[in-house]
Amino acid sequence: MIKAAFFDVDWTLFDHKSNQFIASSLASIKKMQEEGIKVFICSARNTKSLYEFGLFSLGIDWDGFISSAGAFACLNKTVVTRKLIMRKKDVSSLISFALSKNLTMQLVTPWDRFLISEPNNYYFLYQEVFHDECKSIHSFKNEEVLGTLLYAPSSIDEELKEKFPDLVHFRFADYGIDINGGEHNKGDGINSILSYLKIRKEEAISFGDDIQDISMSTATGIFVCMGNGKEEVKKAANYVTSNVENDGITKALLHFKILR
């Protein structure tokens, strides 16, 4: 019996082609809650981005969320089950590097985010795809930082790895790279929530489409890949459903008889 469900956001709940959340998916999630299943957001987006993107204005009373690809996990917006903080000296060194290259970087805290300098061209390329504007710009004031997003071309990657070999680098597009203090993934966030709630892995289902979602497959008994997902993700899935715009979430829930 499924007791918890975890949903990626981009290209899983949200279709970037039509620029909207899929109504059938939202209706199915509400029905799951009515039947006593706990529902969670599980995203690489940071907490502030989830709020600004409208996840908490969809008419769904989410039981919690995982943000920053598993670095932060929270129940009912109050109980923090996971928080992975970077060392301040690493953050300061990254900032110095970015500014020396005339690049901007986003610093992500548990509940907020900000840019360290004015946006650059790579930032605007990111915006064209993710519609994820960071409105705050100010200097680092020793805040707790979960991770960083450097808006920069891939040509800088080798130099970054040479200067910061102890940090974790994840290049997600030609215009952006996530740099974090340690290994973490969405599966870690799911594990922290399931452990807190005493829900077994076999009693949970998750949905995703991209490489960062593969870790969800090891944390839940059922992992569903959207039809529009990457081939590596499909191989890790228990089931490949229809594309996001073709009611993929609802069809998978019906397939597994979680909804009838």
Side-chain angles (χ1 to χ4, degrees):
M1 178 181 176
I2 294 298
K3 296 182 179 179
F6 298 84
F7 299 90
D8 171 51
V9 176
D10 297 281
W11 297 108
T12 300
L13 283 175
F14 189 86
D15 177 25
H16 284 275
K17 286 191 293 187
S18 60
N19 200 33
Q20 64 180 344
F21 289 98
I22 302 303
S24 65
S25 299
L26 302 182
S28 293
I29 292 171
K30 290 177 185 178
K31 188 174 181 182
M32 292 174 76
Q33 269 199 316
E34 291 170 2
E35 296 184 4
I37 299 172
K38 295 185 180 298
V39 296
F40 301 89
I41 300 164
C42 188
S43 179
R45 288 176 179 264
N46 56 71
T47 305
K48 185 76 168 183
S49 175
L50 294 179
Y51 275 90
E52 293 181 343
F53 200 56
L55 269 299
F56 298 98
S57 303
L58 297 172
I60 297 173
D61 186 16
W62 298 99
D63 292 283
F65 64 86
I66 295 160
S67 61
S68 297
F72 191 66
C74 188
L75 285 165
N76 301 319
K77 303 179 184 177
T78 55
V79 180
V80 175
T81 61
R82 180 173 172 80
K83 184 171 66 171
L84 190 63
I85 301 299
M86 292 182 69
R87 295 185 301 180
K88 286 183 170 57
K89 68 175 185 178
D90 289 334
V91 176
S92 296
S93 296
L94 278 170
I95 291 171
S96 296
F97 176 83
L99 294 177
S100 73
K101 301 289 185 180
N102 293 317
L103 297 170
T104 194
M105 184 166 62
Q106 181 181 146
L107 301 189
V108 176
T109 72
W111 296 99
D112 206 353
R113 60 176 175 170
F114 58 93
L115 298 179
I116 60 168
S117 60
E118 292 296 325
N120 59 10
N121 289 338
Y122 301 105
Y123 169 87
F124 292 115
L125 288 172
Y126 172 87
Q127 289 303 316
E128 288 178 10
V129 176
F130 290 97
H131 313 290
D132 185 31
E133 182 182 6
C134 183
K135 301 175 183 178
S136 179
I137 303 174
H138 64 78
S139 60
F140 178 49
K141 300 174 183 176
N142 288 319
E143 295 94 338
E144 287 187 329
V145 173
L146 296 171
T148 70
L149 194 172
L150 180 64
Y151 303 97
S154 56
S155 58
I156 206 169
D157 288 2
E158 288 304 315
E159 185 177 359
L160 270 172
K161 290 175 183 177
E162 287 179 9
K163 288 185 176 294
F164 305 100
D166 296 330
L167 300 183
V168 177
H169 308 248
F170 177 72
R171 166 67 62 178
F172 62 88
D174 290 338
Y175 43 74
I177 180 170
D178 290 322
I179 306 172
N180 303 305
E183 292 284 356
H184 61 80
N185 56 53
K186 292 184 178 184
D188 295 333
I190 291 175
N191 288 334
S192 73
I193 285 178
L194 293 181
S195 176
Y196 186 91
L197 294 174
K198 295 181 171 53
I199 294 175
R200 294 184 296 113
K201 166 184 173 178
E202 294 75 18
E203 297 173 318
I205 185 172
S206 57
F207 294 79
D209 70 288
D210 209 343
I211 300 301
Q212 285 185 311
D213 301 326
I214 291 177
S215 64
M216 299 167 77
S217 69
T218 61
T220 58
I222 300 172
F223 172 60
V224 176
C225 180
M226 308 303 290
N228 49 272
K230 293 182 177 177
E231 287 304 314
E232 302 97 309
V233 188
K234 291 178 179 178
K235 291 177 182 177
N238 301 97
Y239 181 71
V240 178
T241 188
S242 300
N243 287 8
V244 56
E245 73 273 20
N246 293 327
D247 306 321
I249 287 177
T250 298
K251 288 176 180 176
L253 293 171
L254 292 171
H255 171 81
F256 286 105
K257 296 181 171 55
I258 296 169
L259 293 182
R260 298 179 185 274

